[in-house]
Amino acid sequence: MDRTRWYKDAVFYQIWPRSFCDGNGDGIGDLQGVLQKLDYIASLGVTGIWFSPLYPSPQADFGYDIANYYDINPEYGTLDDFKQVLDGAHERGMRLIMDLVVNHTSDECDWFVQSRASKDNPYADWYIWRDGKTPGSPDEGGTPPNNWDSLFEGGAWEYEPNRDQWYLHIFAKKQPDLNMDNPAVRAEVENIMRFWLDMGVDGFREDVITYISKVPELPNDNPLKPAARGMRFYDHGPRVHEYLQQFRQNVLNAYDCMTVGEAPMISPAKALEYCAEGPQQELDMVFTFEHMLADCLFTDWLPRPFDLRQYKRALGRWQTGLAEDAWNALYIENHDHPRIISRYGSEEYREESGKSLACSYLFLRGTPFVYQGQEIGMTNTHLERIEDSVDVSTFNQVRRLQTIGVSESACLQLVNRASRDHARTPMQWSARQGAGFVGGDGTAEPWFPINSNFQDINVEAAEDDPNSLLAFYREAIVLRRRLPVIREGRYREFKRQSHTIFAYAREMPGQRVLVVCSFTDKLSFFSAAKEYDLAKGELCLCNYEDAHAEDNAFFLRPYECRVYLFEE
Ligand code: GLC
Ligand code: CA
């Protein structure tokens, strides 16, 4: 099968199904809801959909704890509903990729239920079991095999009396890690891939895929590390490349599909080990976190404020670091981060900053992903109490902060600034009761409270306004898809030292694009480099109506952004 690398021309839309659209009126998003919205999704100009997990799951981590990899969560519908959505997407010229979560499963997955039952059953070696350092249950004074932390819930080990052993969980207790060193587990992963690809799915987003191979001795980590002890023994572990190459060769190469791996804390040089094009290539792209570190409890347990220069440096490092040899995945929002306008922009200049943020990444080299609600400028929500959070990782971070003496009210503030909950409020479709998210008569209680600003910020209102952020996303996506320089061109940055302006160009013979984005609510002076005579360019996109193309030096207004096209 020839890989066409179609993903290089794609723009993806990410659906977090629980909060996208509720078709049957029970207050939980579902596939019939998605089906109703396929025309809307296609109207954005996107050419692909990524679904966060749709599989049956106890929802301890909202689907990232999978109980059955071959079916659909009954709350969301059936396999038949899924096939309707898949066909509907394909009919509209959109590909569809699934989330593949194989670092861990749910503890309610049948494999784990059997694995924990005894030491001699067909699944006994499917997870990472070890004897305690000191024998016995924790009550009897037993201690875990090593000192690793889980990223979501205290220590990384849970005791199982049936086996008098401990299992490893890098995430929550209900997310036991699979033993990828077991060939039967890898064969099962290949089976899962084939199952969905044979159905017509176009690829996978692979959850924390850089964690799947652990140093077999599972050594103790430095006890003085404040958090994430153990990570250096499983991030980019000893056999990760071998396993990913196997998956590629045994399965993926037989399909014209694509993969994007989630890779926390990876450098461009490391990314090339996974993504450099050639016979050994393992993944088509990775999601990096470097530009997403500020103001997020998920990536940093004491969130630091946004700094434009850090953001630019991170994006630029990846643009030049992967350049010709590999391909970037581009995003500024997903289900793991608070809303980008609240984080990196300004709620006061919501539409302006939303547009500037859009321009800061949509014209880079790579495949862009847009997260549900980003296109209408949804913002962070407000939680009254820490207990109103529904996010397992937030609980854990708060617990940690409390142990170092951070007060309840300071924790609540952090949660309101930086928790994953903000990305997970229901999609705001209209100003009606239930925000148009709740199906049926709209009266059911949504599974998680709708952001109180839904009467102002919603799809219907944005559709009525030709200058809305939504209209801007549509224009930007169309423009991006029309210009070969966005796929092919070289990346070049200007004004690197500026704390207020992000200016970059994409250049190839015959076509150049200059993007200028302000990140301040003050006026900010900009002068174009001498190779860019703005009077000769076409101003294709701007978030202020009365902008002119002629001056080469001018003041950008609050969060003003401009995209100029030069064709010679
Ligand atoms: C990834 C997912 C996140 C999940 C975690 C554990 O980071 O994006 O939502 O909680 O993996 O599966
Ligand atoms: Ca529903």
Side-chain angles (χ1 to χ4, degrees):
M1 159 79 54
D2 273 349
R3 296 178 60 84
T4 61
R5 301 200 184 272
W6 51 267
Y7 57 86
K8 291 190 175 178
D9 294 309
V11 179
F12 273 87
Y13 189 75
Q14 182 193 348
I15 295 180
W16 199 74
R18 204 168 190 78
S19 282
F20 186 65
C21 183
D22 165 28
N24 65 355
D26 64 356
I28 299 174
D30 52 51
L31 286 168
Q32 284 302 318
V34 174
L35 203 57
Q36 295 166 24
K37 299 298 183 187
L38 283 180
D39 284 327
Y40 168 78
I41 300 169
S43 81
L44 302 173
V46 303
T47 56
I49 294 174
W50 153 30
F51 269 112
S52 275
L54 290 166
Y55 317 92
S57 156
Q59 305 288 324
D61 188 19
F62 295 115
Y64 287 90
D65 49 323
I66 299 175
N68 177 354
Y69 288 77
Y70 300 96
D71 206 347
I72 296 292
N73 174 9
E75 291 173 314
Y76 299 160
T78 62
L79 269 175
D80 278 336
D81 294 319
F82 176 74
K83 285 178 194 153
Q84 279 183 53
V85 170
L86 181 62
D87 291 343
H90 285 163
E91 281 159 21
R92 290 166 179 80
M94 297 185 287
R95 315 261 184 164
L96 191 156
I97 66 169
M98 295 292 265
D99 221 307
L100 185 75
V101 187
V102 292
N103 175 69
H104 46 268
T105 72
S106 163
D107 65 338
E108 296 179 36
C109 179
D110 189 49
W111 313 333
F112 188 73
V113 173
Q114 301 205 41
S115 190
R116 80 187 315 173
S118 69
K119 285 186 185 172
D120 48 16
N121 68 75
Y123 294 90
D125 193 30
W126 276 45
Y127 294 83
I128 301 178
W129 293 102
R130 292 288 188 280
D131 295 336
K133 186 151 260 171
T134 328
S137 73
D139 291 342
E140 299 155 351
T143 55
N146 68 24
N147 69 350
W148 295 6
D149 296 313
S150 85
L151 302 180
F152 280 3
E153 228 180 348
W157 296 94
E158 238 357 70
Y159 180 75
E160 171 52 60
N162 286 327
R163 296 179 56 137
D164 185 25
Q165 280 190 315
W166 301 68
Y167 69 84
L168 177 73
H169 62 92
I170 290 174
F171 293 92
K173 291 177 192 165
K174 286 183 70 65
Q175 293 170 298
D177 280 57
L178 280 165
N179 175 16
M180 206 54 79
D181 295 335
N182 181 340
V185 171
R186 300 201 298 279
E188 188 74 36
V189 171
E190 293 180 359
N191 240 337
I192 297 167
M193 288 178 164
R194 273 191 213 99
F195 177 82
W196 294 100
L197 291 168
D198 286 340
M199 199 183 294
V201 157
D202 301 290
F204 302 100
R205 177 266 189 189
E206 303 187 357
D207 192 68
V208 288
I209 200 67
T210 51
Y211 291 179
I212 59 173
S213 160
K214 281 86 178 165
V215 170
E217 300 75 28
L218 309 177
N220 263 337
D221 203 347
N222 177 354
L224 298 176
K225 265 196 92 198
R229 268 178 304 196
M231 189 178 279
R232 64 193 174 104
F233 300 114
Y234 58 76
D235 194 18
H236 314 294
R239 297 178 71 184
V240 64
H241 295 296
E242 175 192 334
Y243 296 159
L244 292 181
Q245 281 175 27
Q246 264 178 28
F247 297 153
R248 185 89 172 206
Q249 274 145 29
N250 295 348
V251 183
L252 299 165
N253 276 344
Y255 301 83
D256 190 18
C257 64
M258 75 88 144
T259 54
V260 49
E262 187 199 21
M265 312 306 160
I266 194 174
S267 67
K270 263 265 177 267
L272 288 174
E273 294 175 12
Y274 295 89
C275 297
E277 290 175 17
Q280 303 297 310
Q281 185 178 4
E282 296 158 16
L283 299 166
D284 293 309
M285 299 173 256
V286 290
F287 281 126
T288 134
F289 284 63
E290 243 184 288
H291 63 300
M292 296 297 286
L293 295 180
D295 263 346
C296 183
L297 267 176
F298 182 64
T299 50
D300 209 348
W301 56 297
L302 264 184
R304 48 195 136 161
F306 173 62
D307 174 343
L308 178 64
R309 292 211 300 183
Q310 269 172 20
Y311 178 66
K312 296 196 293 188
R313 208 177 305 132
L315 290 175
R317 227 159 80 87
W318 282 83
Q319 289 291 297
T320 48
L322 303 196
E324 306 301 315
D325 301 323
W327 193 250
N328 273 291
L330 309 169
Y331 75 99
I332 52 173
E333 277 197 20
N334 66 28
H335 63 295
D336 289 332
H337 294 268
R339 292 290 181 175
I340 199 70
I341 288 174
S342 307
R343 281 174 87 185
Y344 289 13
S346 155
E347 291 183 7
E348 189 188 343
Y349 290 94
R350 190 178 66 84
E351 298 247 332
E352 291 86 348
S353 67
K355 291 171 186 174
S356 201
L357 279 158
C359 287
S360 76
Y361 89 109
L362 279 179
F363 300 103
L364 297 174
R365 184 182 168 96
T367 300
F369 289 74
V370 177
Y371 180 64
Q372 67 188 39
Q374 177 187 333
E375 77 279 18
I376 56 165
M378 283 176 63
T379 59
N380 282 357
T381 189
H382 182 78
L383 304 179
E384 292 294 331
R385 305 167 312 162
I386 293 171
E387 302 76 65
D388 295 341
S389 167
V390 290
D391 173 22
V392 57
S393 92
T394 296
F395 298 145
N396 193 48
Q397 303 292 55
V398 166
R399 220 173 294 131
R400 267 206 194 127
L401 291 168
Q402 285 171 339
T403 59
I404 59 164
V406 180
S407 72
E408 175 95 8
S409 69
C411 284
L412 180 61
Q413 260 181 29
L414 282 176
V415 169
N416 270 317
R417 181 170 130 208
S419 150
R420 301 199 291 185
D421 295 300
H422 300 292
R424 300 174 174 194
T425 62
M427 179 75 183
Q428 295 163 205
W429 295 100
S430 76
R432 281 190 307 278
Q433 181 182 15
F437 162 77
V438 179
D441 61 7
T443 56
E445 191 68 23
W447 77 274
F448 189 50
I450 294 166
N451 191 318
S452 61
N453 62 21
F454 76 96
Q455 283 173 332
D456 300 318
I457 303 174
N458 61 66
V459 173
E460 233 171 66
E463 294 281 12
D464 289 340
D465 174 4
N467 293 320
S468 65
L469 181 59
L470 175 62
F472 191 90
Y473 263 97
R474 287 185 172 132
E475 280 177 63
I477 290 170
V478 167
L479 181 63
R480 178 190 161 97
R481 290 180 51 199
R482 178 163 73 81
L483 300 176
V485 68
I486 303 303
R487 171 173 164 157
E488 305 295 340
R490 179 172 92 91
Y491 172 81
R492 193 167 152 206
E493 197 188 330
F494 305 96
K495 311 234 174 285
R496 266 172 214 251
Q497 300 310 320
S498 170
H499 289 275
T500 55
I501 295 176
F502 181 24
Y504 65 94
R506 304 294 314 285
E507 301 175 333
M508 69 184 233
Q511 195 170 63
R512 296 181 300 159
V513 164
L514 177 69
V515 182
V516 183
C517 311
S518 163
F519 274 78
T520 173
D521 56 6
K522 314 276 185 315
L523 294 181
S524 193
F525 184 70
F526 175 77
S527 60
K530 61 176 181 317
E531 317 87 281
Y532 282 90
D533 180 1
L534 301 187
K536 298 213 176 94
E538 180 198 343
L539 180 58
C540 317
L541 211 54
C542 179
N543 55 356
Y544 283 80
E545 272 178 86
D546 54 350
H548 302 292
E550 47 275 14
D551 296 336
N552 279 330
F554 55 91
F555 283 94
L556 288 162
R557 286 159 286 184
Y559 294 98
E560 182 164 351
C561 60
R562 298 181 174 207
V563 179
Y564 292 92
L565 171 64
F566 297 82
E567 288 183 296
E568 43 271 319

